[in-house]
Amino acid sequence: MEVDGMLRIFNRSEKLHNLKYSNYIGDGDTKTFNNLSENKPYGDDHLIQKIECVGHVQKRMGTRLRKLKLAYSKKKLSDGKTIGGKGRLTDSLIDKLAHYYGNAIRCNSTGVKEMRKAIWAVWGHSCSPDDEPKHWFCPTNPNTWCKYNAAINNNLQKYKYKPSVDKTVRDVIKPVFADLSYPALLKKCLGGKTQNPNESLNSLIWKFCPKTIGSSLQIAEIAANLATSVFNNGNQILITILEKFGLKINRNVCVSLAERDNRRIFTSRQRRLASSFEARRAKKIKKSKEIELFHEQKGISYDPGAL
């Protein structure tokens, strides 16, 4: 369905809008992009380029590290310990590394070289004990987030840096950072593009036409059109639509729709605040720690696909 829909959008763009799409923003699934490349909707002279969604690329870091943790769960590292446990590769640490990896891409989306430097700064900073600091790529400006470099700038000789990752774990996770900092991948992340607007539109469509209820093609088309109108113009556009049908609109309906739009704007602004973002991230990390502690005490009670 996704492949056919995307092909229709590209094939009709010239006829409907007199334009050609140059880029396709997608996740790691290349099925849709491969079909676009094979069909060549604009001919051989105008080829479409694939741009990676930064959000999906960020998820790759978490996925790769979790798979690595699972693969080494019953193996002993060079120090005779497993990869998991306190001070090693925990689920909360994986979430942090994935988050910092995504930030490294977003904050340096204008150049591949800057992205790679920031990504390796994440690895080096997270794997640096006092006797072997690896802060080569960390920022050295006065307002740097790196406490080690900040201590050097302020001549704090007695500063003790607390490493997040043990030395033995450091070498195990290094290949993951090497793969996910490859220039060919980072080149597709230039601009820091994301699929979030598309996902938000999809969510709105399902509100008009829930996936749990069977609907006809006509109902699905009406839901898509209504969702697109509300997504672009707000809930008050429904008043214009109803008036086109010759319906009289109650004042309470107008007030209700206006309040819904104002609430949507207010919620969006609140979520953009740094404090709100950090609170959501802290809540996610706390939940991850609680789940990991439960698994250590009680064992894994449910594992998708496990016997």
Side-chain angles (χ1 to χ4, degrees):
M1 181 178 68
E2 181 181 347
V3 175
D4 292 339
M6 193 59 62
L7 285 173
R8 291 183 184 181
I9 291 174
F10 275 75
N11 285 325
R12 71 190 183 192
S13 67
E14 283 190 283
K15 182 179 179 181
L16 294 181
H17 308 293
N18 193 29
L19 64 83
K20 297 179 181 179
Y21 294 111
S22 299
N23 301 315
Y24 166 76
I25 303 175
D27 52 20
D29 184 9
T30 58
K31 188 175 181 181
T32 303
F33 178 70
N34 287 341
N35 276 269
L36 286 173
S37 300
E38 291 174 2
N39 282 269
K40 297 180 180 179
Y42 308 123
D44 295 328
D45 297 332
H46 189 89
L47 300 180
I48 302 167
Q49 302 295 323
K50 170 81 178 299
I51 296 179
E52 293 287 351
C53 170
V54 177
H56 284 84
V57 173
Q58 176 179 328
K59 289 180 181 179
R60 293 186 194 180
M61 175 62 75
T63 302
R64 289 283 300 272
L65 291 177
R66 286 186 177 87
K67 287 183 177 179
L68 192 68
K69 182 183 176 183
L70 181 62
Y72 280 86
S73 60
K74 297 181 180 180
K75 297 180 181 179
K76 300 291 185 180
L77 301 184
S78 59
D79 60 352
K81 300 179 182 179
T82 57
I83 195 171
K86 186 177 180 180
R88 300 170 79 82
L89 191 62
T90 61
D91 289 339
S92 58
L93 177 60
I94 290 175
D95 291 336
K96 285 183 180 181
L97 291 176
H99 172 71
Y100 296 148
Y101 171 77
N103 277 355
I105 295 176
R106 293 186 183 93
C107 297
N108 301 275
S109 59
T110 57
V112 173
K113 185 177 180 180
E114 290 76 13
M115 280 189 210
R116 292 197 73 194
K117 182 178 178 181
I119 291 170
W120 281 110
V122 173
W123 176 82
H125 182 87
S126 302
C127 306
S128 296
D130 285 330
D131 57 345
E132 193 180 352
K134 296 181 178 295
H135 301 276
W136 316 300
F137 299 121
C138 293
T140 57
N141 56 68
N143 298 322
T144 178
W145 49 262
C146 177
K147 293 183 180 180
Y148 182 88
N149 286 337
I152 293 177
N153 292 338
N154 295 321
N155 296 319
L156 300 179
Q157 302 297 332
K158 296 183 179 181
Y159 175 78
K160 293 294 183 181
Y161 178 76
K162 297 180 180 179
S164 299
V165 182
D166 192 88
K167 291 181 181 180
T168 53
V169 180
R170 175 183 66 197
D171 295 333
V172 177
I173 68 173
K174 185 176 181 180
V176 176
F177 277 82
D179 289 344
L180 296 181
S181 63
Y182 197 67
L185 172 63
L186 299 182
K187 187 177 180 181
K188 297 178 181 179
C189 297
L190 290 173
K193 304 298 182 180
T194 178
Q195 280 185 290
N196 288 348
N198 295 340
E199 301 296 344
S200 299
L201 177 59
N202 291 339
S203 176
L204 195 56
I205 292 175
W206 304 138
K207 287 185 179 180
F208 287 105
C209 180
K211 292 187 284 185
T212 55
I213 302 175
S215 302
S216 64
L217 175 61
Q218 186 178 21
I219 295 298
E221 289 178 344
I222 293 174
N225 290 328
L226 285 174
T228 303
S229 300
V230 173
F231 185 81
N232 291 329
N233 302 287
N235 287 280
Q236 294 181 77
I237 193 64
L238 297 176
I239 298 175
T240 304
I241 295 174
L242 293 175
E243 288 177 343
K244 291 291 184 180
F245 288 98
L247 300 176
K248 293 183 179 180
I249 310 303
N250 189 294
R251 180 179 179 276
N252 292 333
V253 175
C254 298
V255 173
S256 177
L257 293 176
E259 289 178 349
R260 191 179 299 181
D261 284 337
N262 291 333
R263 187 165 58 249
R264 177 186 177 189
I265 294 171
F266 175 79
T267 303
S268 178
R269 287 175 176 173
Q270 288 296 111
R271 288 177 176 175
R272 290 173 58 188
L273 295 176
S275 57
S276 177
F277 179 79
E278 290 300 325
R280 294 198 305 272
R281 194 167 73 87
K283 184 179 179 180
K284 182 179 178 181
I285 292 174
K286 181 181 178 182
K287 184 178 180 181
S288 179
K289 287 182 178 179
E290 291 175 351
I291 293 175
E292 187 171 14
L293 180 62
F294 178 82
H295 287 167
E296 290 178 358
Q297 295 175 347
K298 305 293 185 179
I300 298 176
S301 57
Y302 171 74
D303 190 16
L307 298 176

